Amino acid sequence: MKVLDAKFVQGFIRMCDDGWQQGWHERNGGNLSYRLKEEEVRQVRTALSFDGAWHPIGTSVPGLSGEFFMVTGSGKYFRNVILDPEDSLCLIELDGKGENYRILWGLCHGGRPTSELPSHLMNHEVKKRASKGAHRVIYHAHTTNIIALTFVLPLKSEVFTRELWEMATECPVVFPSGIGVVDWMVPGGREIAVETSKLMEEYDVAVWAHHGMFCSGEDFDQAFGLMHTVEKSAEILVKMLSIRPDKLQTILPEDFRNLAREFKVTLPEKFLYEK
């Protein structure tokens, strides 16, 4: 099978275009990665080239040794993925130690995987373990309203979670474990990868201050839907704050507890503090 004919590749391309259409990926902003299933590797194996050079990841992810990933390329534009996926994307394999990668397909005019590959892979390793293999998608986007809120809300997980939960009733159902927050850090290196992966032990969403959002999901629909829900909640909060600085009414802690019982989700009490 040709790589571009595979269903997972078509889903990857669609998600990139969906993010571009939302306005989350100016220029070469944002990145996406997907951990392939064994049967997906078998589907495209004959179309892959295994004679490429190995390159250091910049970190060690032994829990992902020998795994295959589709990732966006460094410096590539999300708006071009649907037009020329073979230039914009690549399929990579990790070595037996989880310390090096090689390109098996894609980036046909040269290039390398996203500069935030260490963050993606370290978080894939965490989510693979925490979800018992279910999570396969890591997505980073420059979500406008979330970025705006990092300038006016305290950079605390409890505050971001509570404020965004209050904006729409579905929010605590969609992201019941809450949202982690990372203080501003230089992107692309191991340090921000380490801090984000610590949060991903507990959360499926991490906010990068003044930068964007990082989320994990089992498939493309779940990861995109999670990002979309959090960003829409942030948009409501931004609009509310532009009208007046306080709320006349909102969802209260006991309301959240009733919601949790009805929808059979667990909401950590640390987010249900009295204001």
Side-chain angles (χ1 to χ4, degrees):
M1 177 186 289
K2 294 181 179 179
V3 172
L4 292 178
D5 290 337
K7 186 176 180 181
F8 76 88
V9 179
Q10 294 171 5
F12 193 105
I13 293 170
R14 179 195 171 190
M15 184 162 167
C16 288
D17 192 57
D18 285 345
W20 158 249
Q21 296 295 337
Q22 290 294 323
W24 299 341
H25 299 285
E26 77 293 334
R27 202 172 179 270
N28 62 318
N31 26 74
L32 175 65
S33 63
Y34 173 72
R35 182 169 60 87
L36 276 66
K37 300 175 182 176
E38 290 183 7
E39 60 267 29
E40 292 169 336
V41 176
R42 289 195 295 268
Q43 287 173 0
V44 300
R45 181 175 284 276
T46 57
L48 306 180
S49 173
F50 290 86
D51 55 3
W54 292 98
H55 304 280
I57 295 168
T59 189
S60 179
V61 284
L64 300 176
S65 61
E67 295 258 24
F68 294 73
F69 294 85
M70 174 155 275
V71 299
T72 48
S74 178
K76 301 299 182 178
Y77 292 30
F78 266 56
R79 70 186 295 265
N80 292 333
V81 170
I82 198 168
L83 301 175
D84 192 357
E86 195 166 358
D87 175 61
S88 304
L89 312 176
C90 62
L91 207 159
I92 64 172
E93 176 189 19
L94 304 193
D95 67 8
K97 293 184 178 180
E99 296 178 353
N100 300 281
Y101 74 88
R102 61 180 173 183
I103 297 174
L104 308 180
W105 175 91
L107 298 178
C108 58
H109 297 116
R112 59 188 177 86
T114 171
S115 60
E116 289 174 335
L117 186 64
S119 291
H120 278 255
L121 294 179
M122 289 182 72
N123 285 280
H124 271 292
E125 185 178 43
V126 168
K127 300 311 288 187
K128 178 185 176 183
R129 181 180 67 251
S131 71
K132 298 181 180 178
H135 277 225
R136 293 186 174 274
V137 180
I138 295 290
Y139 184 31
H140 168 52
H142 297 171
T143 43
T144 309
N145 293 284
I146 279 289
I147 294 173
L149 290 176
T150 65
F151 291 94
V152 297
L153 291 182
L155 297 177
K156 297 181 179 179
S157 301
E158 291 80 4
V159 173
F160 262 80
T161 297
R162 178 63 175 278
E163 291 300 320
L164 294 177
W165 275 3
E166 288 186 17
M167 291 303 102
T169 300
E170 71 166 347
C171 288
V173 179
V174 175
F175 48 99
S177 61
I179 295 174
V181 180
V182 180
D183 288 347
W184 186 87
M185 301 180 72
V186 175
R190 189 174 186 278
E191 288 186 10
I192 194 169
V194 169
E195 292 306 309
T196 308
S197 62
K198 289 177 183 176
L199 291 177
M200 283 292 181
E201 294 278 1
E202 182 176 354
Y203 308 106
D204 291 335
V205 186
V207 170
W208 285 354
H210 322 319
H211 185 160
M213 203 177 347
F214 205 82
C215 74
S216 173
E218 295 183 11
D219 55 32
F220 298 121
D221 282 347
Q222 188 183 86
F224 186 85
L226 178 58
M227 183 84 73
H228 201 186
T229 302
V230 175
E231 172 62 5
K232 184 174 183 178
S233 180
E235 181 182 0
I236 297 169
L237 181 55
V238 168
K239 289 180 176 179
M240 187 279 296
L241 291 172
S242 72
I243 298 170
R244 58 180 296 153
D246 59 339
K247 306 162 192 168
L248 290 182
Q249 53 275 323
T250 188
I251 306 171
L252 301 173
E254 195 55 34
D255 297 327
F256 284 122
R257 295 184 184 99
N258 292 335
L259 186 72
R261 283 192 292 271
E262 185 68 23
F263 283 85
K264 296 178 173 56
V265 295
T266 300
L267 302 181
E269 280 293 320
K270 67 179 179 178
F271 302 128
L272 303 181
Y273 54 86
E274 293 295 333
K275 293 185 178 181

